[in-house]
Amino acid sequence: MSLSKRTTRPLDHLVLPVAELAQARRRLSDLGFVVAEDARHPFGTENACVFFADNTYLEPLAIASREECEAAALAGNVFVARDQAFRFREGPEGMSAIVVGTSDAATDHMRFRASGVSGGDMLEFSRPMRLPDGREGLGSFRLAFAADLRSPDFFLFSCQRIRALPVDQTALHRHENGVLGIAEVVLSEPNPTDFQYLLQEGVDDREVSAHSFGMDIQTGNAKLSVLNAAGMEAFFGRSVRSAERGLRGRAVVFRVVDLEATRALFAKNDIEFAEMGGRLIVPEAPGQGVIFAFGV
């Protein structure tokens, strides 16, 4: 097996820690998203996902059982241990991980180890999910982790679907806000290129576009941007501390069908937003731990 062959990974989903699933569901519903039924992991966490037609999704993640989570972390579960560390340092809400899709997580794990960016042991698990028609489905997954000790509040992992959920998700894709999928994921760091190696290995692509506000890396289906303080101010009107080192999840940019319809929905639901660069910028709120931006 060769570790030199590169195949750019697609964005699969984003892990968004939240304080409570019920609160996240209310906020996401007010924003015009269809939210799937609550689902529980076998290691004490739970989620209520938002799925998109471009095969990406958001994973709002909450604690269902602190005792189960603590036991899993002690047993070496990297996913739970990282979630606990994020909540301890950053609070209960935000963006803790970018997840890319893969057909072979074991090979990714070997590549991460060989490159010096492994985040720990692989994880394999199954979980049930209630389908839109009321049936129960079972999904099985294998995860390989990539991380950098200089950035304790963010990591990446590749996700292989060993057993895909047997479901037509069309009903879950019909979002009132017109969102079709994720166009861009935005992180911040004072010197973005300090972390280009981690992101290149995570995405499995060497191409990087550097600019005065940071750098961009293209996944198979979305852009991954790392912005400095000036970039966050220029593109999102957000001030961040320029001395705070390490990658931090800041924003998700969604692609919508009709921006006017999205604007009208936000006005109807009393959603605070600003307009910058042809996009609607919705600031963080309880249940929505990062900036959401909407554009065509």
Side-chain angles (χ1 to χ4, degrees):
M1 177 183 61
S2 172
L3 295 178
S4 61
K5 182 179 179 181
R6 294 195 177 274
T7 303
T8 305
R9 302 296 194 263
L11 176 67
D12 189 84
H13 68 278
L14 304 174
V15 181
L16 305 175
V18 297
E20 298 176 348
L21 283 190
Q23 184 180 58
R25 180 180 295 280
R26 288 193 298 271
R27 175 61 177 175
L28 293 169
S29 297
D30 286 345
L31 287 167
F33 292 108
V34 176
V35 185
E37 294 287 337
D38 293 2
R40 182 163 173 165
H41 295 129
F43 32 76
T45 52
E46 59 183 353
N47 63 28
C49 297
V50 177
F51 296 97
F52 303 117
D54 67 349
N55 293 321
T56 64
Y57 67 96
L58 305 178
E59 183 185 12
L61 184 75
I63 304 298
S65 168
R66 184 161 300 281
E67 293 77 11
E68 290 179 31
C69 286
E70 291 174 352
L74 287 172
N77 185 311
V78 174
F79 180 82
V80 176
R82 286 269 174 181
D83 180 68
Q84 288 191 323
F86 180 93
R87 293 172 191 274
F88 179 81
R89 289 171 51 85
E90 295 294 316
E93 303 206 348
M95 181 198 304
S96 61
I98 290 176
V99 188
V100 297
T102 185
S103 61
D104 190 345
T107 296
D108 289 352
H109 176 65
M110 292 179 63
R111 177 166 54 83
F112 295 157
R113 290 187 62 182
S115 302
V117 298
S118 173
D121 293 339
M122 293 178 59
L123 174 65
E124 187 169 336
F125 69 95
S126 298
R127 70 166 180 85
M129 176 181 174
R130 186 175 297 278
L131 310 181
D133 61 6
R135 293 180 298 128
E136 286 272 334
L138 184 70
S140 298
F141 310 89
R142 184 177 295 143
L143 314 181
F145 301 95
D148 187 321
L149 289 173
R150 300 173 301 167
S151 185
D153 301 318
F154 175 81
F155 67 113
L156 300 98
F157 60 92
S158 61
C159 176
Q160 179 183 359
R161 289 179 171 84
I162 304 299
R163 180 178 177 179
L165 289 166
V167 55
D168 178 4
Q169 293 186 342
T170 304
L172 295 175
H173 297 163
R174 298 191 183 114
H175 303 290
E176 188 179 4
N177 55 24
V179 169
L180 299 172
I182 298 173
E184 182 181 359
V185 183
V186 181
L187 312 175
S188 74
E189 151 63 28
N191 188 11
T193 55
D194 280 356
F195 291 94
Q196 74 176 60
Y197 188 62
L198 169 66
L199 300 177
Q200 286 171 321
E201 289 301 326
V203 174
D204 200 19
D205 195 318
R206 284 301 193 191
E207 295 297 322
V208 175
S209 175
H211 47 81
S212 60
F213 291 125
M215 68 175 183
D216 303 328
I217 296 177
Q218 190 67 38
T219 73
N221 55 353
K223 183 168 71 173
L224 171 56
S225 299
V226 187
L227 301 179
N228 54 29
M232 286 300 302
E233 184 69 42
F235 294 120
F236 297 97
R238 176 55 47 84
S239 297
V240 297
R241 288 179 288 178
S242 59
E244 193 173 46
R245 299 304 309 271
L247 295 170
R248 283 173 172 79
R250 296 295 186 184
V252 186
V253 180
F254 300 100
R255 187 182 302 105
V256 304
V257 175
D258 182 346
L259 199 60
E260 290 301 320
T262 307
R263 181 187 288 107
L265 174 70
F266 290 170
K268 182 184 75 171
N269 290 351
D270 198 26
I271 298 295
E272 176 189 354
F273 67 91
E275 299 192 43
M276 294 185 66
R279 301 189 297 201
L280 308 182
I281 310 295
V282 179
E284 305 93 328
Q288 175 210 327
V290 296
I291 297 167
F292 281 0
F294 301 79
V296 294

